[in-house]
Each structure stands twice: as C-alpha cells, then as structure tokens.
Amino acid sequence: MNNTQLTGLLEQMTLEEKIAQMLQLVVSYFVESEVDGQITGPMESLGITEETVNQVGSALGIGGAARVIQVQQNHMKNDRLGIPMLFMADIVHGYKTIFPIPLAIGCSWDQDLAEQSAAIAAKESAVSGLHVTFAPMVDLVRDPRWGRVMESTGEDPYLNSLFARSFVRGFQGDDLASDVNRVAACVKHFAAYGAGEGGREYNTVDLSERQLREYYLPAYKAALEEGCELVMTSFNTVHGSPATGNRTLMRDILRTEFGFDGVLISDWGAVIELIAHGVAEDEEQAAFLAIQAGVDIEMMTSCYVKYLPELVRSGKVDESLIDEAVRRILHLKNKLGLFENPLRGADPEAEREIVFCDEHRAASRELASKSCVLLKNTNVLPLQSEQQIALIGPFAQSKDILGSWSWTGAEEHFMNLHEAIQGRITSSKVLSAEGSGIDTITEKQIQEAVEIARQSDVIVLALGESSLMSGEGGSRTDIRLPEAQLQLIATLRTLEKPIVVVLFNGRPLDLHGVEDQVDAVLEAWFPGSEGASAITDILYGDVNPSGRLSMSFPQSVGQIPVYYNHFNTGRPKKESEPDNRYASQYLDSPNEPLYPFGYGLSYTQFKYDDMVLSSEEMTSDLPLQITTKITNTGNMPGEEVVQLYIRDITGEVVRPMKELKAYSKVLLQPGECIEVSFTVTEEQLKYHHYDLSYTSDAGEFAVFVGPNSRDAVERRFRLLK
Ligand code: BGC
C-alpha cells in the first residue's frame, strides 16, 4: 500500500474501528471453541464486546504457524475492512532455540554473535507466525536485587548501546517487507525501568535528568537510531510522572528529540495503572493521559476502547490524536507487508524444518560458551578427562537452565549438565547426586553427595537460583545462594577435595560462602538450550573461557548499588590513609565490588605492554591514537577483551572515575603478540554539562587500557580547544 491508500483506509474507518486498532489482547481472546467458532476468551473482565475483539489491532503471546494462520484467517473474515492483525510476543533470547539470557550475552562482549542470536530468534518466530518481538530490553541495571537484570546487558551505557544495536539489526534485518524471516523489534522499557528504588519490582524511579541522559537513555536512543520500529513504555515513574502518561518523556524526548515516529505500546496494564500510581482518577482519565502522551497501543486493559470514543465525541480529545496513533499502527502493518500477505512468514512446513535446527543450536552453543565468565580458578580447571568427578547439586541434572522469558523454548530435546559431561568423557568417570534442592537439603542428599565425592578426584558443584528467582517479579533482598546450597558447599569442603562451582543464575550474586570456600567458580548464568554442552566445553578445556562481566558482583547486598562508573566524592578513600575515618567508605566492607565490570579469567595469561599515545595532546581535528601490545604468555589459544576507559579529570560537573569508550576482542595463539589500537575522538569526551548541553571540556583526561575496569593502566593527555 502506498501512503494515499493508507490514508484512504484510515478515512473509511469508524471511530470505534480506529480505537480497536489501539487495543492489544492476549491470545486467549482469539481461541475458537471447536463447536461454534465463538471467541471464548475472558472478554467480560475487560468489559469489551465481541465486536471489538473482531476489530482488534493486535494480539500478544501467540506462537505456532498453524494457530496464527487460523487466528488471522478468522480475523480477516470478521473485520469489516479486512485489516490484518499484528502478532507480538516476548522473544527475548530465542524462540525455540534458546540463547543465553541477555545478561550473559552482555558478558560475551560479542556484537556479531548477539546479532546472530537475534536473527535466529527472528527467523524461528517469523516462520511461526510472529511479526513483532518485545525485545530488546535495554534498561541499564545497577541493582542485582532486581530480578530483571537478567534481561539487560548490564551496567554500562556504551556496551548496552552496542548490544541494543546488534539486537535490533538481528531482529529486523534491512527490510522487513521483503525479508519475511525477520520481525519488528520493540525496545523497552522506556524509560529507566532498571532504576527502581531498592531493586524492588515495579518500584518508583527518581533520577536527575543528567543521570537519565548520561546513563539510561543512550541505549534506547541507539536502538532507535538502528531503526527499531516500536517502543514500549515502562511501568515506573520518571520525574514524578508514570512513563505511560508522561508527556515530556514520550512527546518531547521520544518523539520530538529522538525523532521516533514508530509505534509506542504500553506495557501490560500500564495505562490502567495510572490510577494506582495516583495520577488518574479513573479509567477515562487514564486513557486521556496515555493518549495525550502519545501511547498508540494499550496492552491488555481497555481504557482506550471504553473511553476514547466518548472523549473524542465530547471534544476533550482531538480525533487527530487517534488518527496519528492508528496511522502509525497501519504503517507498521504495511511495512511488514501484511496488507499484501496477512500470513507473512507463517509456514508450518518451514517451521518444522527451521525451528530448533542443528545450525541454530550450534549458534546457541557458541554464544553460551562465550557468555560464561570464569570468576576464580586456582589451578583446578580445566578438568582432565581421566579425572574421576563427582557432579553434585540441584543443577547437576536439572533442565531449568533456559532462564526467564523462554516460554516458547523447546524443552524436550536438550541436555542437562550430567548428560553433557557423560557425552564428553567415559561415563564411569562422572558420578552424580543431587546434594540438595534449590533451597532444601536432607540428610540422605548429604550422605549421597559425600559418598560420591569421596570416590572422586574433583567435586563439580552445579548450584544456583531457579529461573523463577529472577526475571519479572523476581526481586530478592538476599542474593546469596540459598542456605541449603551453602550448607552443601560447607559439608563437601570438609573432604578437602578440589571444588569447582558452576553457577546458574539470573543476577550477580553475593558469593559469600561460595567464592571463599571453593577452588574455581564458573558463572554460567542461564545458558540456554545448548548451555550444558557449552559448559562442558569449558570445564574440559575444549573452549577457553572468554566472558567478561557486564555487571559488577557486589561484596554484599549492603554495597548495592555498586558499579564501576561511579564518582570520586570529595573524600575518596586513599590507600595511603587506611586509618582515615572521614573518608567515603564502609567500616565493614571494601568499597570495591567483589568482581568488577569487565572482569573474567582465561585458561591462558595475557601480558600488556605499556600503552603508547600518539601525542599527549589532541584536538577535535587531531584524534589520539592509543596502541598497546598484548602477548599470550600461556600455552592455550585464548580471547582477550582489551578495554579502554576514559576519565575527564576536571569537568564542569562531576565526571565518573572511568567510562568504557571502546574495546577490542582479540584471539591470540600461545606466544603470539599483537598490537591493539584505539582512536580517541573529541566526540567520545562529550558529556551533559550543567545546563545539559552536550559538549566536551578542554583540559586533562586519563585514559586506561587493560583487561577490566579495575586493573587497567593509566596515562594522561589533554584536549585542546
Ligand atoms: C513486561 C514486558 C512484556 C509484557 C508482555 C510485561 O509484564 O514488563 O516486558 O513485554 O509483559 O508480555
């Protein structure tokens, strides 16, 4: 359809038909009873009629080509103007082939594999009938108590922005109309959902505008620059006004400043929640606020369909606002080619062939092996095939390794860790016992565990949180491993055998009782469908771990939020003054996290030579070249993530101690030495000043290059203006 035809279609629509386009319902509304073909979903609770359901613009949570085809065909029969529906779902880290959780993908620092994972997820979704995925989630996160940190790529605005771009490119490709193997992406949750107070789900967010712009907005903006078609509102407040009714955020920043002209969808129920927030008196006012803010689709509540018609007729809402929203929705349908082909990629045969195929599973395995982070290793890993191992713990034989947002994941055909290890070594070399449940332990479990541990050379403990302990609604105040598992570690420790812990979890944990008790810790996160094989590859040294943390691991909950790009304060703690009480510090804990951003070990070692700066001064026309030599001094090939950080020594407002500005992931053979170069431009030195203008300051800067945010070597240069 061209624009004139779209306008023509809009003109034919009644007000009710237009507003029905702005409603999104969950799939159960469209399931036909076998007897009479009626809609049997829970319509009454929303107070909507069957007529509205027949005209509705989109559905969420659906999947499976045959089902989608049936629902679309039925809809096309019932909709007067034959406007196809949009099918959307949360395909966050894979459709049937599940990839590691996004926080793990963040630790891969691998943009290409991230893009590939999204492209595969898009392909599997598209043949299964989906048009839109509610991803990527790019909320910056600093509080591991929040369960949804598992959905984010971490605490850094630059790294998050790169991943936001990769995911959008992977989901959408270059042209949604011609490439039916892609789906439209919906970046979420706009904005700053990750900054909820105390890490409590759905809690208040209150940030300065500078914080918002410096840390939180960049990744959403990057996704939009990459052409992301949709944006989802967040549940939280921004500057005292819930995002879903926040005109400044949605109109001034998102639409005007960022130039976004795609579809803005509310999060589930976020329009009606304006009442609970206390900014709308009733559903009518909630609808009024959301439409004024420019929310095009209301997800799963019915304030729009119930109240917008009257609000328009009484002149309180200008019909042009409705037209604006519906035009965007129709435009998206058009971009996806739905008017010409309402079934788009939905294809039961292709679905059988493509979904969860070997190629996709291999890609998942590769990304999983790049996402695991080796946190500690005192010469116990890699394991040797001849060693007798005791594989113990609630994750030894568990398939709960996909993580949250894997509702579509293929559960039938993937291996647990025990099976994967048995496939790698002579199976008699691995004995396995549960040892404990996630948060329960019995005498019998302990006895079995001790018995097999006694017969073994090495104990491998597969521990962690169940997938329900993170994800949406998964906030926790105590982020240690559950007591039962700590008890299991303490008991096995007494046997004085080497212990390797493999962690399955959706957030950085407080590792008290783990890290200090064992010889090696491999953070595997929720690694996805092929995670067990990927972990086995690492445990046995077939793959050298290369993941680097994209979110700091705290010493304890009391330190949270703890993140690398913090300020110095006026009284920074100095090593030279350990007894100074009046420094910014805790009496009972270091200030630094247990494991910092960027951290991760390898089975080999990398030596950094001094970095060389092309000059000690730079200008906007003469950027700085920074080179450093890296040598693999160990005896295994390995990948190193060479990281470059900058600090503006004196700014107009306070600047972070370090900010990641670039990195390079390099593979080095044993003994190999390579030169890694970075260019620092004036653009990278800009920040939001006191009046929020975005410029750089002349003066002194520190540049750091190294293996993580803590251990980088520092040099100075000046920016001349
Ligand atoms: C979540 C969103 C998700 C939506 C639809 C909400 O509860 O916050 O991230 O996309 O549900 O499933």
Side-chain angles (χ1 to χ4, degrees):
M1 260 190 202
N2 58 33
N3 274 341
T4 323
Q5 288 167 316
L6 270 189
T7 308
L9 177 60
L10 190 62
E11 280 166 2
Q12 287 178 58
M13 295 170 79
T14 64
L15 183 60
E16 275 71 15
E17 281 171 337
K18 289 185 204 169
I19 294 169
Q21 286 295 316
M22 299 165 70
L23 172 64
Q24 174 160 108
L25 294 175
V26 76
V27 57
S28 53
Y29 281 83
F30 309 97
V31 177
E32 292 183 342
S33 94
E34 283 164 21
V35 188
D36 56 12
Q38 292 298 295
I39 293 154
T40 54
M43 268 178 294
E44 272 145 39
S45 60
L46 289 188
I48 54 176
T49 62
E50 185 170 341
E51 197 183 350
T52 303
V53 176
N54 285 340
Q55 298 166 351
V56 88
S58 56
L60 89 144
I62 197 166
R67 199 169 190 206
V68 168
I69 291 171
Q70 185 201 10
V71 172
Q72 186 75 298
Q73 284 174 339
N74 197 43
H75 170 82
M76 300 296 283
K77 271 192 263 151
N78 292 328
D79 185 70
R80 182 179 71 96
L81 296 166
I83 303 175
M85 272 167 89
L86 280 168
F87 297 113
M88 312 195 185
D90 294 273
I91 307 305
V92 177
H93 52 114
Y95 180 75
K96 281 255 181 289
T97 307
I98 299 296
F99 288 87
I101 56 170
L103 187 59
I105 297 181
C107 295
S108 74
W109 297 55
D110 194 321
Q111 307 307 319
D112 294 338
L113 288 184
E115 181 175 337
Q116 186 188 52
S117 75
I120 289 173
K123 194 169 179 183
E124 294 194 356
S125 308
V127 294
S128 307
L130 286 171
H131 307 139
V132 174
T133 175
F134 296 132
M137 185 280 219
V138 303
D139 305 330
L140 183 135
V141 288
R142 289 176 169 175
D143 194 329
R145 290 172 295 184
W146 192 44
R148 298 192 82 167
V149 302
M150 54 77 50
E151 276 177 71
S152 163
T153 46
E155 72 188 35
D156 182 65
Y158 170 71
L159 195 60
N160 286 354
S161 300
L162 294 180
F163 278 112
R165 287 178 188 278
S166 308
F167 288 136
V168 172
R169 276 199 304 273
F171 286 131
Q172 296 193 164
D174 298 326
D175 179 15
L176 284 169
S178 61
D179 190 352
V180 296
N181 282 328
R182 306 284 180 154
V183 293
C186 174
V187 64
K188 64 188 189 185
H189 308 81
F190 195 70
Y193 184 28
E197 286 177 0
R200 199 181 80 203
E201 183 64 297
Y202 314 128
N203 205 5
T204 308
V205 170
D206 200 359
L207 292 170
S208 70
E209 185 155 0
R210 177 166 304 96
Q211 285 266 325
L212 187 68
R213 286 180 179 278
E214 284 280 299
Y215 298 102
Y216 291 86
L217 294 185
Y220 309 107
K221 192 164 177 237
L224 298 180
E225 283 168 3
E226 211 57 53
C228 189
E229 294 289 348
L230 297 93
V231 172
M232 186 185 290
T233 70
S234 57
F235 288 124
N236 53 278
T237 50
V238 175
H239 299 148
S241 166
T244 308
N246 188 324
R247 286 180 69 166
T248 314
L249 182 67
M250 298 304 174
R251 294 265 178 205
D252 301 348
I253 298 183
L254 180 66
R255 298 286 188 198
T256 308
E257 191 182 323
F258 292 176
F260 175 64
D261 61 359
V263 171
L264 177 62
I265 184 168
S266 82
D267 201 344
W268 182 302
V271 174
I272 208 168
E273 288 172 20
L274 295 174
I275 304 174
H277 271 294
V279 296
E281 208 173 340
D282 50 25
E283 290 188 37
E284 180 179 331
Q285 200 184 356
F288 179 83
L289 291 176
I291 189 72
Q292 297 291 339
V295 174
D296 302 317
I297 299 182
E298 178 183 10
M299 189 197 291
M300 269 314 286
T301 50
S302 49
C303 306
Y304 275 8
V305 291
K306 284 195 291 195
Y307 297 100
L308 281 184
E310 189 44 37
L311 282 168
V312 171
R313 291 198 174 101
S314 65
K316 288 189 191 136
V317 166
D318 198 312
E319 191 164 352
S320 65
L321 289 184
I322 312 290
D323 288 348
E324 175 194 18
V326 178
R327 196 183 299 276
R328 288 192 198 112
I329 297 164
L330 296 180
H331 188 64
L332 176 61
K333 293 184 176 186
N334 197 32
K335 254 197 176 169
L336 286 157
L338 291 179
F339 289 107
E340 288 73 31
N341 180 9
L343 304 181
R344 202 170 177 263
D347 180 345
E349 206 174 305
E351 187 182 23
R352 273 190 295 279
E353 256 170 51
I354 289 172
V355 166
F356 208 58
C357 64
D358 289 349
E359 190 191 330
H360 293 179
R361 294 175 64 178
S364 171
R365 178 172 179 165
E366 186 181 6
L367 186 48
S369 67
K370 305 256 175 182
S371 304
C372 293
V373 186
L374 184 63
L375 297 175
K376 176 175 181 177
N377 185 19
T378 43
N379 293 325
V380 52
L381 287 177
L383 301 172
Q384 309 301 317
S385 309
E386 325 70 73
Q387 283 173 314
Q388 180 70 51
I389 70 161
L391 176 66
I392 299 170
F395 283 93
Q397 298 186 33
S398 167
K399 284 199 169 182
D400 185 19
I401 62 172
L402 301 184
S404 197
W405 289 129
S406 53
W407 60 287
T408 43
E411 281 177 8
E412 321 79 274
H413 311 292
F414 67 88
M415 282 191 278
N416 64 36
L417 189 55
H418 186 214
E419 290 159 347
I421 292 179
Q422 279 180 322
R424 169 65 177 71
I425 56 174
T426 315
S427 55
S428 61
K429 289 283 179 200
V430 51
L431 302 170
S432 181
E434 213 178 14
S436 80
I438 296 288
D439 50 15
T440 53
I441 189 162
T442 62
E443 263 316 307
K444 186 161 170 270
Q445 284 173 319
I446 295 179
Q447 270 169 21
E448 279 167 10
V450 167
E451 200 174 301
I452 64 161
R454 281 221 172 92
Q455 299 167 44
S456 303
D457 304 315
V458 183
I459 302 168
V460 177
L461 280 177
L463 306 175
E465 296 181 321
S466 75
S467 58
L468 285 176
M469 290 165 78
S470 58
E472 186 170 358
S475 293
R476 298 179 66 208
T477 59
D478 182 353
I479 56 170
R480 286 174 307 162
L481 280 185
E483 194 50 47
Q485 298 183 51
L486 296 178
Q487 193 187 331
L488 178 63
I489 297 177
T491 308
L492 294 174
R493 185 77 211 143
T494 60
L495 303 180
E496 296 185 356
K497 305 243 176 174
I499 300 182
V500 175
V501 166
V502 181
L503 287 171
F504 295 83
N505 49 291
R507 57 160 59 82
L509 296 167
D510 168 346
L511 289 179
H512 276 106
V514 183
E515 173 290 321
D516 44 345
Q517 297 296 313
V518 306
D519 303 281
V521 180
L522 180 68
E523 176 55 79
W525 308 108
F526 286 111
S529 313
E530 303 304 311
S533 307
I535 293 165
T536 306
D537 291 341
I538 292 180
L539 289 177
Y540 284 92
D542 301 331
V543 168
N544 191 347
S546 61
R548 303 288 183 263
L549 294 179
S550 62
M551 189 174 180
S552 309
F553 268 57
Q555 299 273 356
S556 67
V557 163
Q559 271 189 325
I560 294 170
V562 60
Y563 48 91
Y564 87 94
N565 43 3
H566 60 86
F567 295 155
N568 199 27
T569 81
R571 292 188 177 186
K573 188 175 159 83
K574 294 183 186 144
E575 265 175 43
S576 54
E577 297 172 9
D579 300 327
N580 178 6
R581 178 183 178 88
Y582 299 103
S584 178
Q585 65 189 331
Y586 296 105
L587 294 178
D588 57 352
S589 160
N591 288 353
E592 294 72 32
L594 179 64
Y595 296 119
F597 176 83
Y599 173 87
L601 301 173
S602 163
Y603 291 153
T604 188
Q605 293 80 43
F606 300 102
K607 181 173 139 304
Y608 283 70
D609 282 3
D610 279 352
M611 68 176 123
V612 179
L613 274 57
S614 56
S615 162
E616 293 196 343
E617 293 169 349
M618 66 171 281
T619 66
S620 57
D621 296 334
L622 263 186
L624 197 67
Q625 301 297 329
I626 292 169
T627 22
T628 189
K629 279 194 184 143
I630 318 226
T631 312
N632 179 348
T633 55
N635 44 25
M636 241 181 126
E639 278 184 298
E640 170 70 329
V641 181
V642 186
Q643 302 164 34
L644 179 136
Y645 298 86
I646 297 264
R647 177 181 175 198
D648 188 344
I649 301 294
T650 314
E652 188 190 73
V653 294
V654 176
R655 303 299 302 136
M657 295 296 285
K658 272 175 196 155
E659 288 177 288
L660 181 72
K661 293 291 179 183
Y663 67 89
S664 177
K665 198 169 176 183
V666 288
L667 171 67
L668 280 95
Q669 298 303 320
E672 189 181 352
C673 169
I674 57 160
E675 202 171 77
V676 174
S677 301
F678 296 101
T679 304
V680 175
T681 65
E682 193 234 349
E683 191 59 32
Q684 289 166 305
L685 308 180
K686 291 183 178 171
Y687 67 94
H688 291 93
H689 281 60
Y690 196 75
D691 63 358
L692 296 178
S693 61
Y694 190 67
T695 55
S696 62
D697 295 326
E700 192 174 24
F701 289 80
V703 57
F704 309 81
V705 172
N708 60 59
S709 62
R710 182 188 61 200
D711 302 321
V713 173
E714 177 180 346
R715 293 282 305 271
R716 298 278 171 120
F717 69 90
R718 294 190 77 81
L719 171 68
L720 305 182
K721 284 186 124 179

